[in-house]
Amino acid sequence: MHVQPIDLPEMTTQVRGGKYVVRGGVTLRGAIDISGAKNHALAAMCAALLTDEDLILENVPDISDVDSLGALLVSLGAEVERLPNRAVRLNCRQVNIFEAPTDLISENRASFQVMGPLVARHGYAASAPPGGDVIGQRPIDVHLSGFEAMGARVIREGERFVATAANGLHGARVFMDYPSVSGTQNVMMAAVLARGHVTIVNAATEPEVQGLIRLLNAMGARISGSGSQILEIDGVENLHGTTSRIMPDRIETGTFAIAAVMTGGDVELRDVPTGVMDALLTKLRSAGAQIDESDGMLRVRREGPIRAVSFQALPYPGLATDLHAPMAALLTQANGVSIIHERVFDNRMLYVSELRKMGAEIVSTGSSAIVSGPTPLHGTRVRALDVRAGAAVLLAAMVAQGTTIIDDIFHLDRGYERLTEKLTALGVEVERN
Ligand code: EPZ
């Protein structure tokens, strides 16, 4: 069996830069497979810290955020190997460093989820505040107050946070000020090894959180209430290894579905997540799309004009904030005025400036945007400002007149697997250099 270990040096910092040259005026046609979900895979990789045994994750997307988290785990003493068919083997038996290196923690936000497992298993964890997309304040108070409620002592030492629990963690009733996705995952991963019972109130219910609960229970944890905002956790002595499949990526699915509607195409998306995309599919149908759903497959097409729709980006099951920017790109081509309210992050409107460079008519104030359409877009030079803002300008480039150059596409590499290949398979004229 060919095993490819993740070597630290190459995988530490993401390769910055890179650009796409996209010829506009395309109609997407064809079929692609959706990859595993970034935001499930990253949390699942951190769960490996909770056991000495092998954790095998299948359907792990080959994206740079997975590599940088893998490198972080290796820096703590873990073994992380890519296996054939997008599987990854993780083993944390040798972990003996409990502080996340600052250069790696700044690469992606999910890395901060090593804190919960480390303080629960080893009674000590330290890390600088995590990096990740610049889309708002992004505090970590919910994570830290969750650890404190279970008996950890959390102090700030210079740039880093240090959590200690020499006698382990204990049962508690943890109220989360905000149903934070990674906050719920981090606190939950600490709670599974606590002595006694932990109740998490106002927990996040995202599918990626539910996926992590399935994994932890498969490792021997005792969590109930998945999908609700109240999680009940009976702490156990220890967890064991398992093999688990990463769910398909609902944000990648949404991005390509929006692209199909935007270009008036006809696209088949295979291996999509079922039953977790109601908010988006409802809005796309209101905008004029025809969508057929069947066993893990979505066929998305549009013939008539795009109708304006308004939406709010909300915690699950509301419309995902990660699809806010791609939806805004679509609505530049809709007949009429669409109103967007961002209710999750306080600074997720940066994409507007890049779309406006292409001719979009968008007025944004604070966390809201008014999009007027249909407006012909034209090719120019723009930047991918983060993963999803990058997706928005990519979609706009597909319908723009002429050629668009998109800089800093390393952001897209962080969240979309084999993107160039998939775009080409759907008929997009795109060159990467
Ligand atoms: C996760 O980020 C995802 N990232 C994000 O996807 C996604 O946008 C977000 O959830 C919301 O769905 C990963 O899973 C790695 P949050 P996370 O904590 O966990 C406030 C992408 O493009 N908050 O739920 O960091 C915070 O200010 C990325 O794939 C607190 O107040 O999001 C924010 O307004 C981008 N205190 C809100 O919660 C806290 O301690 C949502 O943040 C933590 C968060």
Side-chain angles (χ1 to χ4, degrees):
M1 171 166 64
H2 168 61
V3 175
Q4 181 198 347
I6 290 193
D7 289 332
L8 205 54
E10 284 82 28
M11 292 284 176
T12 33
T13 55
Q14 286 162 359
V15 181
R16 307 223 164 256
K19 69 171 185 281
Y20 268 149
V21 180
V22 182
R23 180 169 294 288
V26 63
T27 302
L28 265 56
R29 291 194 191 289
I32 57 166
D33 296 322
I34 294 299
S35 300
K38 165 174 86 76
N39 294 341
H40 180 203
L42 297 174
M45 290 171 72
C46 295
L49 289 161
L50 290 165
T51 177
D52 279 350
E53 298 178 14
D54 275 2
L55 176 62
I56 309 279
L57 298 176
E58 295 170 333
N59 198 33
V60 177
D62 185 4
I63 54 176
S64 57
D65 270 11
V66 164
D67 294 335
S68 61
L69 179 55
L72 189 151
L73 291 168
V74 167
S75 76
L76 303 179
E79 290 168 20
V80 182
E81 295 173 293
R82 278 194 191 284
L83 304 176
N85 305 324
R86 283 189 191 81
V88 171
R89 181 185 80 86
L90 304 107
N91 188 292
C92 296
R93 188 177 32 246
Q94 310 287 346
V95 163
N96 57 3
I97 297 170
F98 312 129
E99 171 144 7
T102 304
D103 62 332
L104 291 171
I105 202 88
S106 63
E107 288 288 339
N108 79 63
R109 191 160 184 83
S111 312
F112 195 67
Q113 293 180 50
V114 300
M115 290 284 282
L118 286 175
V119 72
R121 263 205 90 214
H122 304 284
Y124 182 94
S127 170
D133 290 342
V134 184
I135 51 181
Q137 294 286 330
R138 307 194 80 175
I140 48 174
D141 55 308
V142 160
H143 304 236
L144 303 179
S145 57
F147 300 152
E148 284 175 325
M150 292 184 279
R153 183 165 171 271
V154 177
I155 56 168
R156 178 143 202 174
E157 261 179 20
E159 264 310 292
R160 61 191 194 135
F161 289 95
V162 180
T164 51
N167 306 319
L169 300 173
H170 56 65
R173 190 170 178 83
V174 178
F175 174 75
M176 314 256 286
D177 269 348
Y178 184 93
S180 157
V181 171
S182 53
T184 302
Q185 294 167 325
N186 218 347
V187 172
M188 198 165 60
M189 287 196 276
V192 290
L193 294 179
R195 280 187 320 285
H197 185 85
V198 175
T199 302
I200 302 180
V201 180
N202 198 24
T205 63
E206 270 68 7
E208 297 76 20
V209 172
Q210 298 182 43
L212 181 64
I213 292 173
R214 275 194 300 278
L215 169 62
L216 293 170
N217 283 344
M219 295 171 72
R222 295 170 55 195
I223 309 171
S224 58
S226 182
S228 82
Q229 292 204 287
I230 306 229
L231 298 176
E232 303 289 356
I233 303 167
D234 287 312
V236 295
E237 282 285 313
N238 48 57
L239 297 186
H240 53 75
T242 190
T243 297
S244 182
R245 184 177 166 75
I246 298 299
M247 68 179 64
D249 196 322
R250 66 191 170 107
I251 306 299
E252 184 194 14
T253 305
T255 305
F256 279 106
I258 294 168
V261 177
M262 197 167 171
T263 62
D266 184 345
V267 166
E268 198 179 282
L269 305 174
R270 296 183 297 230
D271 197 14
V272 302
T274 45
V276 298
M277 311 222 29
D278 298 289
L280 177 75
L281 300 185
T282 306
K283 286 296 170 186
L284 289 181
R285 286 187 173 110
S286 310
Q290 287 92 22
I291 302 175
D292 308 317
E293 299 174 70
S294 61
D295 293 347
M297 198 275 285
L298 271 185
R299 181 178 175 197
V300 185
R301 57 206 147 111
R302 175 185 60 82
E303 274 137 27
I306 303 172
R307 292 190 289 268
V309 293
S310 295
F311 69 87
Q312 306 189 60
L314 293 164
Y316 185 81
L319 198 141
T321 172
D322 295 342
L323 292 172
H324 163 176
M327 276 295 282
L330 166 71
L331 296 171
T332 65
Q333 303 307 298
N335 288 287
V337 174
S338 308
I339 299 173
I340 300 172
H341 295 295
E342 171 60 48
R343 305 281 189 215
V344 177
F345 288 106
D346 50 22
N347 188 19
R348 196 155 210 180
M349 313 307 282
L350 298 179
Y351 70 88
V352 170
S353 61
E354 299 308 296
L355 290 181
R356 286 164 63 102
K357 285 181 190 163
M358 302 177 75
E361 280 188 37
I362 307 179
V363 178
S364 71
T365 57
S367 295
S368 299
I370 300 167
V371 186
S372 306
T375 313
L377 301 180
H378 53 80
T380 183
R381 190 164 197 142
V382 291
R383 286 179 57 210
L385 296 172
D386 59 53
V387 182
R388 312 308 170 182
V393 290
L394 178 60
L395 269 57
M398 292 178 192
V399 300
Q401 274 149 14
T403 301
T404 301
I405 297 175
I406 305 175
D407 289 314
D408 294 342
I409 57 169
F410 72 90
H411 281 297
L412 290 166
D413 296 340
R414 293 182 40 221
Y416 295 97
E417 182 186 58
R418 290 180 293 118
L419 185 56
T420 313
E421 193 187 309
K422 293 184 184 184
L423 293 171
T424 308
L426 294 176
V428 181
E429 283 185 51
V430 57
E431 214 186 292
R432 181 190 176 114
N433 43 45

